[in-house]
Amino acid sequence: MERLYRILKAYSLYDPEVGYTQGMAFLAGPLLLYMSDEEAFCMFVKLMKDYDFRSFYVPGMPGLNLRLYQFERLMEDKLLAIYLHLRRQGVKASMYASQWFLTLFAYKFPINMVTRIFDVVIAEGIDSILKFAIALMKKNEEEIISLKFDQLLSFLKEKIFFVYSTPEKSTAKLSWLTHATDYRVDEFVNDAYSVEIAENALYKYASEYEQIKESEIEKENEINILKSENSSLSLKVKDLEDSLNTLNEENTKLADTMIQNKIQIATLIDENEGLISKVSELELTVKTQPAEIEKRMESEIQKILNKNLQVMNKNRILEDQITEVETELAQTKMELAMIHDEHNALKKRWNELKKALEN
């Protein structure tokens, strides 16, 4: 474990973009069984870079997803019955084959099978993992087609290699821990080599996958644009809703005002109708009694004229009386002035006499 830790630690420092990812230990572990630490590290780096396993572990796992797509397309072309059964059961390659490809089958398979797979991959390239995967599916075709979803997934993940166990072993007692000599590894490798996979077919599948990814990216971009537009429209809708609420409030106020105005108009109409009725009555009265009104007016005017004449006569008499009073008042004032002068003269004379007597 310490040796494995050192290799994985060294690689995480060597390639910090990838660092350590789950599954790498199964790729590095088998190398340590046959190599020194330095050799195992160099071989691990070569597998990651030159054999493109690095693309299995970078974010998004583009290499793994491509191999899974190619695997499903190969099944569709070569193992149609299995392909259709898996689709009907809703089982995708990513549900079981991811652990095969990420670990080069080391996650559950017996070690002697794993080492032979490593040998073939190192000798012929990463595409050979597809041959092993197709060989396994073909060898187990009857069993796979007979299973339903839950049993099918369990079988594909943990028991698919049991088909290569030796006849002496009961499959009920087999597991990935079973001794390596209990499996027919040569037969497994020969079955893989018997699978013919044309390079142009893999290129075709890769091209299809790229087109699908581009289409997905375009759809994702469209979705993002639609989300952005939807967000913008949502804000506009909110603004419109706020405006609508404001308009509703204003409309309510206007409706209340209109109701009040209608009530006032109705009241004014009633009053107007009453006035019209009174005017009509007055007009009728004027039309039916003009002579009487005129006679009354003449009588009243005559009374006023007579009264005015009387008042004028009284005014004239009063004016004459005022004139007489004013004349008498003037004479009285003159007499009073003369008396006052006489009084002053007498008083002066008295004072003179008084002084004379005193002397």
Side-chain angles (χ1 to χ4, degrees), residues 15 25 33 35 37 46 51 78 104 205-206 221 227 235 250 359:
D15 188 358
L33 296 176
M35 302 177 185
D37 291 358
K46 190 172 185 64
Y51 288 81
K78 297 179 178 297
L104 264 183
Y205 301 152
N221 291 335
K227 284 182 178 179
L235 292 175
E250 293 177 355
N359 292 327

Side-chain angles (χ1 to χ4, degrees), residues 79-213:
L79 304 171
L80 185 58
I82 295 177
Y83 174 79
L84 294 175
H85 179 69
L86 292 175
R87 289 201 62 176
R88 283 193 294 268
Q89 295 300 316
V91 176
K92 298 180 180 179
S94 58
M95 295 178 178
Y96 60 92
S98 294
Q99 68 181 33
W100 296 354
F101 297 162
L102 276 173
T103 66
L104 264 183
F105 297 89
Y107 183 69
K108 284 288 185 180
F109 281 57
I111 189 61
N112 59 338
M113 280 188 169
V114 173
T115 53
R116 294 293 293 276
I117 293 170
F118 267 70
D119 288 342
V120 174
V121 169
I122 291 171
E124 299 190 3
I126 193 172
D127 291 341
S128 56
I129 62 175
L130 297 172
K131 291 185 176 183
F132 285 106
I134 293 296
L136 284 167
M137 300 299 283
K138 185 177 181 180
K139 193 76 169 179
N140 290 278
E141 182 171 2
E142 291 184 6
E143 184 71 16
I144 290 172
I145 292 175
S146 68
L147 297 174
K148 300 300 181 182
F149 181 81
D150 291 337
Q151 297 84 359
L152 185 55
L153 270 182
S154 176
F155 176 80
L156 292 171
K157 288 181 177 181
E158 300 179 1
K159 301 177 182 179
I160 193 168
F161 55 86
F162 286 3
V163 70
Y164 288 105
S165 62
T166 56
E168 294 80 11
K169 287 290 180 180
S170 169
T171 56
K173 297 181 180 180
L174 289 173
S175 74
W176 70 282
L177 294 173
T178 304
H179 197 275
T181 57
D182 293 328
Y183 293 94
R184 305 187 305 278
V185 179
D186 289 340
E187 182 182 343
F188 174 47
V189 174
N190 289 333
D191 288 343
Y193 270 105
S194 68
V195 176
E196 295 182 359
I197 301 177
E199 286 189 15
N200 59 351
L202 293 181
Y203 286 132
K204 175 187 173 184
Y205 301 152
S207 178
E208 291 175 359
Y209 177 75
E210 290 301 322
Q211 290 177 3
I212 291 171
K213 292 301 292 182

Side-chain angles (χ1 to χ4, degrees), residues 8 20-29 44 57 99 101-104 106-107:
L8 296 176
Y20 170 75
T21 304
Q22 189 176 6
M24 285 183 175
F26 293 96
L27 194 61
F44 184 76
Y57 297 100
Q99 68 181 33
F101 297 162
L102 276 173
T103 66
L104 264 183
Y107 183 69

Side-chain angles (χ1 to χ4, degrees), residues 192-250:
Y193 270 105
S194 68
V195 176
E196 295 182 359
I197 301 177
E199 286 189 15
N200 59 351
L202 293 181
Y203 286 132
K204 175 187 173 184
Y205 301 152
S207 178
E208 291 175 359
Y209 177 75
E210 290 301 322
Q211 290 177 3
I212 291 171
K213 292 301 292 182
E214 289 176 3
S215 177
E216 289 177 352
I217 291 172
E218 289 178 1
K219 288 181 180 178
E220 186 176 354
N221 291 335
E222 290 177 0
I223 290 172
N224 290 333
I225 291 171
L226 290 174
K227 284 182 178 179
S228 177
E229 291 177 352
N230 184 58
S231 177
S232 177
L233 289 174
S234 296
L235 292 175
K236 289 182 180 179
V237 168
K238 187 178 182 303
D239 291 339
L240 290 173
E241 287 177 348
D242 293 339
S243 299
L244 179 61
N245 291 332
T246 303
L247 289 174
N248 285 334
E249 292 176 359
E250 293 177 355

